[in-house]
Each structure stands twice: as C-alpha cells, then as structure tokens.
Amino acid sequence: MELRPQKVALKTISYLILFFFALVTLFPFYWMIITALKDSNSALRWPPELWPKTFHWENFDRLLKAAPFGRYFMNSVIVVILDLSISMIVMSFAAFGFAHYNFRGKEILFMLFLATMMIPGEALIITNFRTVAKLGWFDTYHVLFVPYIASVFYIYLLRQAFESVPKQLYLAAKVDGCSDFKYFLKVLLPIARPMLITIVILKVIASWNSFMWPLLVTNSSRMRVISYGLVAFQSEAGNDFPLMMAASIFTVGPMIILYLIARKKIIDGIAKGGIKG
Amino acid sequence: MNDNSFKKAIPYLIPAIIVLTVFTFYPLFNAFVQSFNRLPNPDNYELSLKTYQWLFKDTTFLTAVKNTLVYSLVTVPISIAISLMIAALLTSINRLRVFFQTVYFLPYVTSAVAVAFTWGYLFNADYGLINQIMHNVFNLPKIPWLRSPDYAMSAVMIFGIWRSLAFNVLILTTGMLSIDPQYYKAARVDGANNATTFFKITLPLLAPVVSYVFTIGLINAFKVFTEVYALIGSSARVYKANTMVFYIFDQLWVYKDYSLASAAAIILLLIILVLTAFSRWLSAKTDYMN
C-alpha cells in the first residue's frame, strides 16, 4: 500500500482546486452582499473591508428613497405571475392537442414548431418591436410576456410527458363518461405534475431575468421590471456602490432563494435537456 | 375519423399557433424581406441587395463580427476546458459533491445584469478590487478595464467565461457520472493510471456531450449581448466591445434602421443554422455508443 500517501495528496489537490473555483464562483455574490452593507465611502477605500465593521442596513432605505425599486420588484412579480398563468395554459393545451389527437399533417405541424427553436430570438425582435408598437402595447404588462408564452421546447417536453401516460387510462375515463377536456384536466395534468413544476420553475427564472425585450418595449419608469430598473439606476447611482449592490440584491435575491428551495428540480430540468438558455 | 380528430384538436392548438404565427413565423419572414429592403422605413419597399452591400462595408458591423468571433473562439474553449477539469474532479470525489455542484450552478439562475454590475465594480478603474490589488499589492499600473478599447473586450470575456461555467460544469458532470463504471473497472484491471483513464475512456465516451456543450456554448456566444450591455454600457462601440446582437440592438433602437438590423439578424441566423447543422453532424460522428 505504498500508493496511499500519493492518493491522499491527489485527493487534497482535487479538493483545493474545487474550493478555489467555488470561491471564484461565490466571490462576486459575497462582494455584492457585503458591499451593500458598507457605507458609501468605505466601498471606495484601500484596503477593502472584507467584513464591514458596522452593517449599514439603512442602505436599503436609501435605495428605496432614491428609486422606486419596490415598484420595479412588484412589476416583475406581476409579469412573472401573468406569464406563468397564461403560458402554462397555452403550452399544456398545445401539448395535449399534439399528444392526444391524430390528424393528417400533425407531425409536419410539430416539426414546424420544433424548427423555431433554431431561430435566435434576436432575429425576431426587430419585427416584434414594430408589431407591438402597432398594437399599441408599449408600456403594458402583457407586452412583456405575450410574445414568449408558447415556448416550443416546453410544449415538446409536455407532449412527451402526456404521451407516456398509458392509453388505458383514457379508455377507462371514457367509460366513466369523462370528456376529453375533463380527462386532460383531471387525469393527464396531475400525472404530468413533476414535469409541470420543472417547467414552471425554469420559466420563472427566464421571465424574471429577461432583459433585452423589456428594455425595448417599456419607456415609462412605472412599467419597468427589475432588470431594466437596475440598468436605469446605474447612471443615477454613479460611484455609490453600496446602493448599486443593494439594488442588485433585489434582483438576484428571489432567484437565489428559489434556487436553494428547488435546487434539484432546476438542476435535473436543465441537465435533462435545457437547450434554451 | 381524421377530420373529426382535427376539429377536436384545433381548439387546443390554436392559441399556440396564433402566438407562434404572429411572434415567430411572421417576424422571421419579415426579417428576411426587410433585409432586402433598400429603404430604412419598413412601410415602403424597394427590394435590392444594397442593404447587404452596406452592411459588409459598415466598419461598425465588421468590428462587431470580429468581436463576436473573438469572444466565441476564446470563451467557449477556455470555459469547456475548465469545466472538463472541474467535472473530472467532481466525479472523482464523493464528499461535498452536491455542495460544489450547487455552488457552481448558481450563476446560471441569477440575472446577468445584476451580476454584471458586481463585476463592473470589481473591474472599476479606481475603486475596483482587481485594480486595487494589482496596484497596491503588485505595484502594477491601474487598467481602465471597462473604459478602454484595449481591455473592454477582455473584461467581457472574463465575465462571459465565469458565467458560462455553470451550464458547462453541470452538463459535463452529468455526462461523466452516467458513464458505465464497468469501463473504469476494466481499465483498473489493465493497470491504467488516472490520466490514461481520463483521455482514453472518459473523453471518448463523453465526446457527444462535449460536442453538445460546445455547440450550445458557441450559439450562446454568438448571441452575446446582455454581458456587453450591462458591463460596458451603451458606449460599447467606442470601446470596441460591440457584438453582432449589440449591432442589431443599436440599429433598431438608436438609428431606427430596420433594414440594416434585419440584414445583420439574417447573417446571425445563418451562422446559427450552420452551427446547428455542424453539431448534428458532429454528434452523429462522435457517438461511439450507438
């Protein structure tokens, strides 16, 4: 067993490297939180405070007085809730239509749906920008999510989930006098629950973090979502880094909490084929 | 029977069909048409190849293409190399693996904008930790990371690599963990060392997964925008950090030139289609298992 010390050394080095990269990953978050609690001058000084002597919780009060982050935050919450409730209906309906019925041209239609996954959203934004302008949708809640309520990738995942349910269940439901819609609602959706939850979580993250589209289609500060509010605040904050970092915490905080609660769901969902970033 | 089934299916399909038609199929078609429109105002048409000629003479666009290429070709291989190492180390340990995985994936779920601002603070010329350490500890000159044509792109790339590790590490680790342990047992019987096992067994079996993260990485890298906008700001052009999507955004938002924006978007679309086709070919070629 002369290999032993070598093996221990190898393990130690492995852990050291892993800890190093964990540090690299976490440091910006640590710096964000710690800076948010410093006073504005000490955030500029050398040597930096790695742990503030006093915690300046009043930075959050100052932030809310400087810019309507409460409003931005609520706008984001409202958009995420509206987005989820409508898109989950649209997507699960479409998945049911594809999974449950057979009609001529179905697979061609589905291929057409799937083909859209290759198109970068950036190529569509140009026309969509004009479409929503013509519809008079600027500065509304619905403009922020309606173009994205039919994510083909999630329709695809849901179709697979629905198709994996044995046909016998449908026949049994039919015998009991169940309509197709009732079967969808009472049988299929409950069975597909794990997949639905995964999609809901991934959609929440994407909706909350969306940036370019809100930047284009909202002008008034009343309609800003949090990511846009953050960018707009940057020019006002200047070198007041604690305020800037406090504002950033408002933006990343909810997603970090969601991640810590639903870590396994999120990681499994992405690992199983999170094609859409 | 068939027609009846179609009638029953259509109420379920129609909402998605309408949304996709209005916000995906029509804009795709329209972007294509607009890209051949000589007139910047999209309500009048005069089709010609002029837009593409202008586009390829526009030095701003050419810089954007160059920057996008550099960004993609630098960040993707570096990120995958680091991710492969992390994934190999992660699969070799048992204790704390879940902890490390949780940590590494964090940047994926957090807003790029918010994290970019923290990096912007770290990169700040006067008050950023990076320059402070370089200056006060190593006595090096301060670098105006975000306010100089020489360094802005480097700062964006460092941030881009940091952010992309999350996805790559997750997919590669999952791929490595799903390799049948039989192969490793056989290798150990044959007396193969760690390095040999990694290069002769892990890597070949992982090739389809690597080609997958490589393609996804390239596609996302070609679409890089938020990283640039949040870190450098709307003046990215001045600091030579503008990218293709940044160019599209600029044409659309600042100059209201829909034709040039469309033409640039069509070029981006073509690049992505080629990358997708390439990845299909690559994954078919590298899949030893099937």
Side-chain angles (χ1 to χ4, degrees):
Chain A
M1 286 281 110
E2 61 258 82
L3 271 176
R4 256 241 132 92
Q6 207 183 332
K7 251 190 183 156
V8 171
L10 212 63
K11 269 258 136 62
T12 315
I13 293 170
S14 302
Y15 275 104
L16 280 178
I17 296 173
L18 289 171
F19 268 113
F20 170 76
F21 278 102
L23 205 68
V24 170
T25 309
L26 286 182
F27 186 78
F29 295 102
Y30 169 76
W31 206 233
M32 181 193 289
I33 296 166
I34 225 69
T35 306
L37 297 169
K38 291 179 183 176
D39 77 81
S40 302
N41 284 325
S42 70
L44 307 176
R45 265 199 303 269
W46 175 266
E49 283 183 292
L50 288 174
W51 191 257
K53 282 183 206 82
T54 41
F55 290 95
H56 293 266
W57 297 101
E58 76 275 7
N59 284 345
F60 288 95
D61 289 332
R62 282 208 298 136
L63 172 71
L64 293 177
K65 283 196 188 96
F69 267 91
R71 169 97 202 181
Y72 300 158
F73 191 90
M74 280 322 289
N75 282 343
S76 277
V77 171
I78 291 168
V79 169
V80 167
I81 290 173
L82 289 174
D83 182 355
L84 274 185
S85 27
I86 297 173
S87 69
M88 288 315 284
I89 294 173
V90 170
M91 296 191 303
S92 56
F93 266 36
F96 180 65
F98 279 118
H100 192 68
Y101 299 102
N102 276 313
F103 52 88
R104 209 175 304 138
K106 180 174 94 163
E107 292 311 323
I108 294 173
L109 184 65
F110 196 63
M111 288 299 279
L112 206 62
F113 270 44
L114 286 182
T116 64
M117 291 198 331
M118 285 186 287
I119 305 164
E122 289 75 8
L124 309 174
I125 258 176
I126 304 161
T127 308
N128 286 345
F129 178 66
R130 280 179 48 77
T131 305
V132 298
K134 279 184 186 153
L135 291 169
W137 282 10
F138 275 159
D139 283 330
T140 59
Y141 284 129
H142 55 269
V143 73
L144 293 168
F145 63 87
V146 167
Y148 302 101
I149 52 177
S151 306
V152 171
F153 181 59
Y154 297 139
I155 295 177
Y156 166 76
L157 289 180
L158 278 173
R159 180 188 171 173
Q160 281 190 323
F162 291 162
E163 279 176 350
S164 68
V165 175
K167 235 0 194 216
Q168 281 88 331
L169 277 177
Y170 174 65
L171 298 175
K174 265 270 132 103
V175 171
D176 291 345
C178 203
S179 69
D180 281 6
F181 182 67
K182 215 171 162 195
Y183 165 73
F184 164 69
L185 212 61
K186 301 269 163 162
V187 181
L188 275 190
L189 285 184
I191 293 177
R193 225 178 88 160
M195 179 57 81
L196 288 168
I197 294 174
T198 303
I199 293 175
V200 164
I201 295 169
L202 295 181
K203 193 104 176 91
V204 169
I205 296 172
S207 184
W208 184 271
N209 290 339
S210 71
F211 172 63
M212 189 182 181
W213 183 243
L215 187 63
L216 281 167
V217 296
T218 46
N219 297 320
S220 102
S221 69
R222 290 178 53 77
M223 292 309 295
R224 272 178 203 152
V225 289
I226 192 119
S227 57
Y228 185 6
L230 189 61
V231 171
F233 183 61
Q234 189 191 23
S235 47
E236 293 167 38
N239 277 340
D240 198 336
F241 294 110
L243 276 204
M244 200 61 216
M245 295 301 110
S248 300
I249 289 177
F250 268 98
T251 316
V252 297
M255 291 306 106
I256 292 181
I257 292 168
L258 177 69
Y259 176 57
L260 292 178
I261 296 169
R263 184 189 57 84
K264 215 174 139 37
K265 276 261 160 213
I266 295 171
I267 285 187
D268 288 351
I270 303 285
K272 281 207 186 84
I275 297 174
K276 286 272 161 175
Chain B
M1 166 68 203
N2 259 353
D3 282 10
N4 193 18
S5 196
F6 179 68
K7 263 184 213 147
K8 279 186 183 163
I10 208 72
Y12 293 103
L13 295 174
I14 206 75
I17 291 177
I18 291 175
V19 171
L20 286 176
T21 306
V22 176
F23 293 109
T24 304
F25 294 119
Y26 163 67
L28 179 66
F29 167 77
N30 194 47
F32 193 71
V33 175
Q34 282 300 334
S35 74
F36 290 103
N37 187 4
R38 241 169 83 81
L39 309 169
N41 180 350
D43 293 321
N44 301 312
Y45 283 96
E46 201 175 298
L47 296 184
S48 84
L49 282 170
K50 272 272 186 291
T51 334
Y52 284 96
Q53 285 175 9
W54 286 327
L55 187 69
F56 284 108
K57 274 188 205 144
D58 186 349
T59 50
T60 310
F61 178 70
L62 295 177
T63 316
V65 172
K66 196 194 103 198
N67 287 339
T68 310
L69 276 173
V70 170
Y71 179 87
S72 307
L73 297 179
V74 171
T75 60
V76 177
I78 292 180
S79 174
I80 289 180
I82 297 174
S83 304
L84 269 172
M85 183 187 72
I86 294 178
L89 294 175
L90 270 181
T91 43
S92 77
I93 63 165
N94 282 317
R95 215 172 300 165
L96 292 179
R97 188 198 287 154
V98 174
F99 164 76
F100 283 124
Q101 271 192 306
T102 308
V103 169
Y104 295 144
F105 195 65
L106 188 62
Y108 189 89
V109 300
T110 44
S111 149
V113 181
V115 182
F117 285 145
T118 309
W119 276 92
Y121 176 35
L122 290 171
F123 276 125
N124 186 284
D126 299 313
Y127 311 112
L129 197 60
I130 294 172
N131 268 357
Q132 283 186 335
I133 291 174
M134 279 180 40
H135 183 70
N136 295 311
V137 181
F138 298 104
N139 227 347
L140 294 163
K142 288 186 171 179
I143 291 175
W145 289 100
L146 308 176
R147 292 286 168 267
S148 137
D150 297 327
Y151 295 103
M153 205 58 209
S154 311
V156 173
M157 288 195 284
I158 292 171
F159 176 52
I161 292 171
W162 178 84
R163 238 179 87 73
S164 63
L165 285 178
F167 180 78
N168 293 341
V169 168
L170 171 67
I171 302 295
L172 291 172
T173 310
T174 312
M176 280 190 199
L177 287 173
S178 67
I179 292 175
D180 191 340
Q182 293 288 341
Y183 291 105
Y184 294 113
K185 273 190 201 140
R188 221 171 302 139
V189 171
D190 290 346
N193 63 20
N194 283 345
T196 322
T197 316
F198 181 76
F199 285 106
K200 296 279 173 180
I201 295 179
T202 309
L203 222 43
L205 285 172
L206 204 64
V209 185
V210 175
S211 77
Y212 170 74
V213 290
F214 191 74
T215 315
I216 297 287
L218 273 187
I219 290 176
N220 284 332
F222 268 95
K223 299 197 293 189
V224 61
F225 170 75
T226 307
E227 280 83 350
V228 179
Y229 193 89
L231 204 56
I232 314 289
S234 48
S235 49
R237 203 156 28 96
V238 181
Y239 303 119
K240 292 211 162 44
N242 53 331
T243 59
M244 285 179 77
V245 174
F246 197 94
Y247 180 85
I248 298 172
F249 178 83
D250 246 4
Q251 290 303 326
L252 188 61
W253 216 40
V254 182
Y255 305 106
K256 308 271 180 231
D257 189 327
Y258 293 91
S259 302
L260 272 183
S262 299
I266 293 296
I267 300 290
L268 179 69
L269 174 68
L270 289 178
I271 292 174
I272 298 216
L273 289 182
V274 169
L275 286 175
T276 312
F278 175 70
S279 98
R280 283 272 166 87
W281 174 81
L282 198 67
S283 68
K285 221 177 146 71
T286 53
D287 201 342
Y288 296 106
M289 299 304 289
N290 299 314

